Amino acid sequence: MVCDRENKSDLKFQNFKINGNRSLKGQIKISGAKNSSLVLLAASLLSDETITLTNVPNLTDIDKMKNILKSLGVLLKSEGEDLVISPQNLHLCELPYELVNGLRASFFCIGPLLTKLGEATLALPGGCKIGERPIEEHIKGLKALGAEIIIEDSLVKARINNNEQRLKGTNIKLNCPSVGATETLIMASTLAKGRTIIENAAREPEVQDLCFMLNKMGANIYGAGQSKIIIEGVTKLKGCSHKVIPDRIEAGTFLIAAASTFSSITVSPVIPNHLDSVIEKLRESGSKITINGNSISIKTNSIKAVNIQTAPFPGFPTDLQAPFTALMSIANGQSKISETIFENRMSHIKSLNQMGASIVVEDNTALINGVEFLNGQSLKGQDLRSSAAITIAALAAKGISRIEGLEHLDRGYENFENKLSNIGAEISRENAKNINHESKLSLDKSNKQTKNYQAA
Ligand code: UD1
């Protein structure tokens, strides 16, 4: 079993067919945030009572996380818009490899299981192949809280070995503001004895969403959204209802798609300040952006080249680097896009060049010479955000494109093609087995400038 909804191997045979160069117009409803939902599902393991989550998106990553919770004895029930999570029968079990494989967020369970049940054994995490993505900050922090941890045969075995069977609050300074490590350590320390202080913590909105929900459950967390987070441990956490924040990365992806196709669209609901750095760059590149309550409208008549450098929140998000590179490939002038968070997040460059873009990669920086137009191609996305980027490029390009790699895209975008076709895009999903041979993937064409930057 991989997930309830869709067998992953089926997705590998599907592709988008896109007739590009169409202007988009209308409203797009933004789904709940994938990265929030994943960690909130894990946080529900901490509760002794039922948790009700609203606005959880329908995605393959979420299906995988739900299956992990089910394996741990958690009951999950969909009631209308709500997901009702009952963790009263939570128990330890060795999670089957096919459940945790490819889902880095599966590792979120280590904090709740360890702090609540006194032990946890989990496989080393997977996820998008966009770099090393180590977990030493998670491990170091859990050890500082008093856990004994050994890693052998790709398994992380953690346990609490003291009389009280409780982690102990302490001071932790992260070497880098890792989102996952911050979330793991916050969850673990909610039930620890005494005070935990996490310095150099991640400030991402999804970390804030986690803290808000945990506080509703009875945790004492101070400083969410700041780089110093203080947690006063409690002995029990209770149930609550919580609405997942809107997905800022999905919203940003659609805004960039609109800019790339010289369109006028509105995305909502969003929390506009979650997108400040993206809005700033879109404005700098010539788009007119209007914010009205929880909606953002964009109108684009021209695209100017701008430079970006990815950075932890509130900086420009690494998850929108690939989509923004697609936009810059048809900008007026030269731009420089530097990826500073992950070391292997340039796999879209080869595809963009195959469509006629002019991009050279040097040391994780894309040097882009904007071209007047891209041409439709048959291509394959290599990870979640690179699939989104080449879909955007195909929407902007002249002619027909076929995009494979939807098993990546469906991890993070709910109803992607429907949302786009509702605002005028010519995009449909078809079975890749039916594509004729001439138009089949030209992935093997080598490109000297980019050959070192494919996803691992
Ligand atoms: C999360 C998001 C992902 C986003 C990323 C950065 C989820 C499920 N995923 O991933 O979409 O792209 O944040 O915003 O929320 N690092 C270390 N040591 C560690 C941990 C991390 O060196 O122990 C490094 C990583 O190699 C990477 C950087 O820190 O270079 C950021 O990683 P991290 O913030 O941990 O990303 P994730 O939590 O995996």
Side-chain angles (χ1 to χ4, degrees), residues 34-36 38-39 61 103-106 108 125-126 128 130-140 174-183 202 204 206-207 248-249 311-313 316-320 339-343 345 384-385 411:
K34 167 182 86 85
N35 288 348
S36 265
L38 288 168
V39 73
D61 266 12
L103 183 67
R104 183 167 167 86
S106 59
F108 283 144
C128 262
I130 53 177
E132 274 296 310
R133 307 189 83 176
I135 50 157
E136 83 271 0
E137 294 298 315
H138 310 57
I139 301 293
K140 228 171 52 190
L174 297 176
N175 280 330
C176 61
S178 156
V179 175
T182 302
E183 292 170 336
E204 268 66 3
E206 296 76 20
V207 177
R248 65 193 167 105
I249 304 300
F313 189 82
F316 193 93
T318 171
D319 287 346
L320 288 175
E339 174 55 60
T340 69
I341 310 288
F342 292 110
E343 65 275 17
R345 214 166 200 188
L384 169 54
R385 306 304 171 185
R411 289 184 42 218

Side-chain angles (χ1 to χ4, degrees), residues 11 19 48 62 140 177-178 247-248 253 258 281 286 297 331 363 382 390 400 419 432:
L11 290 173
N19 189 9
D48 289 326
I62 300 292
K140 228 171 52 190
S178 156
D247 197 312
R248 65 193 167 105
T253 302
K281 284 296 169 185
S297 300
D363 298 332
Q382 303 290 330
I390 58 178
I400 306 272
K419 289 186 181 186

Side-chain angles (χ1 to χ4, degrees), residues 93-287:
C93 85
E94 195 165 312
L95 296 168
Y97 177 74
E98 63 273 19
L99 278 188
V100 295
N101 179 33
L103 183 67
R104 183 167 167 86
S106 59
F107 199 66
F108 283 144
C109 297
I110 197 167
L113 291 175
L114 177 67
T115 199
K116 194 168 176 205
L117 303 180
E119 60 181 295
T121 299
L122 283 154
L124 283 167
C128 262
K129 290 175 179 149
I130 53 177
E132 274 296 310
R133 307 189 83 176
I135 50 157
E136 83 271 0
E137 294 298 315
H138 310 57
I139 301 293
K140 228 171 52 190
L142 291 172
K143 281 185 175 168
L145 286 163
E148 283 181 359
I149 300 187
I150 44 172
I151 302 178
E152 57 184 16
D153 301 330
S154 297
L155 283 179
V156 181
K157 298 177 180 175
R159 67 181 189 129
I160 303 173
N161 189 13
N162 62 36
N163 292 340
E164 289 171 274
Q165 282 294 289
R166 266 184 98 184
L167 293 172
K168 285 205 170 69
T170 188
N171 289 2
I172 298 167
K173 185 162 186 178
L174 297 176
N175 280 330
C176 61
S178 156
V179 175
T182 302
E183 292 170 336
T184 291
L185 298 174
I186 288 171
M187 289 188 280
S189 45
T190 51
L191 292 177
K193 185 173 181 185
R195 175 181 301 160
T196 300
I197 298 177
I198 305 174
E199 286 184 79
N200 199 22
R203 299 168 58 196
E204 268 66 3
E206 296 76 20
V207 177
Q208 299 177 37
D209 205 20
L210 170 68
C211 294
F212 292 148
M213 182 171 106
L214 288 170
N215 279 346
K216 283 188 205 167
M217 290 161 64
N220 287 319
I221 304 172
Y222 307 89
Q226 293 165 38
S227 54
K228 182 172 175 177
I229 297 180
I230 300 164
I231 304 124
E232 303 283 356
V234 296
T235 50
K236 257 178 180 303
L237 291 170
K238 58 181 192 229
C240 75
S241 294
H242 185 77
K243 185 168 183 179
V244 178
I245 56 170
D247 197 312
R248 65 193 167 105
I249 304 300
E250 188 202 10
T253 302
F254 286 124
L255 290 173
I256 294 167
S260 307
T261 50
F262 301 96
S263 301
S264 305
I265 70 161
T266 297
V267 293
S268 76
V270 290
I271 300 173
N273 68 17
H274 290 176
L275 282 146
D276 278 351
S277 60
V278 181
I279 291 168
E280 188 189 316
K281 284 296 169 185
L282 283 168
R283 280 186 173 143
E284 203 183 317
S285 75
S287 291

